[in-house]
Every structure is written in structure tokens, then in C-alpha cells.
Amino acid sequence: GAGGGGVARWDRHTTQFFTMAEGLPHNDVRSLAVDDDGRVWVGTLGGVAVVDGGIVVSPSMAPDISR
């Protein structure tokens, strides 16, 4: 997390920040997990979101989440 300011993603060249403005359910991030497809699952005080290819989506919109 970023101290209540969402979450930051760094790819060795750029830093990308994700907050409620980008689609997180809440800016207070409590957990992170990366699945086998490279998606980042973000657990917040307001629920779960998935960062897929630099875009925040809700778990119900993430492709193939049943795998």
C-alpha cells in the first residue's frame, strides 16, 4: 500500500499509482496477491479489486477468475 493512498506499481521503468480515482474500492489497501496470470489482487477496506494489465477491474469483470 501507499500509506492510505492506494497502491503503487513499479515495473523498473515507471511507477503507476492506483487509488479510488482509478477504480479501487477504497484507498486503504490491506493485502496484495499476484496470481499465475500476473494479475494483482488488491484487498482494501472497501472490498477487492484486480489490477489486470494496468487497469483496475472488479473481480466479477476479471477474465477466468475461476482458475
Side-chain angles (χ1 to χ4, degrees):
V7 68
R9 174 182 164 201
W10 179 67
D11 70 2
R12 296 187 186 203
H13 302 288
T14 59
T15 303
Q16 188 173 12
F17 293 93
F18 299 95
T19 65
M20 291 176 68
E22 286 74 40
L24 288 183
H26 199 284
N27 285 334
D28 195 337
V29 174
R30 295 303 174 113
S31 61
L32 297 169
V34 179
D35 67 19
D36 291 339
D37 294 320
R39 294 178 293 216
V40 179
W41 293 76
V42 183
T44 76
L45 283 181
V48 176
V50 181
V51 178
D52 189 4
I55 300 170
V56 178
V57 296
S58 69
S60 63
M61 306 261 317
D64 302 321
I65 64 169
S66 61
R67 289 194 278 157

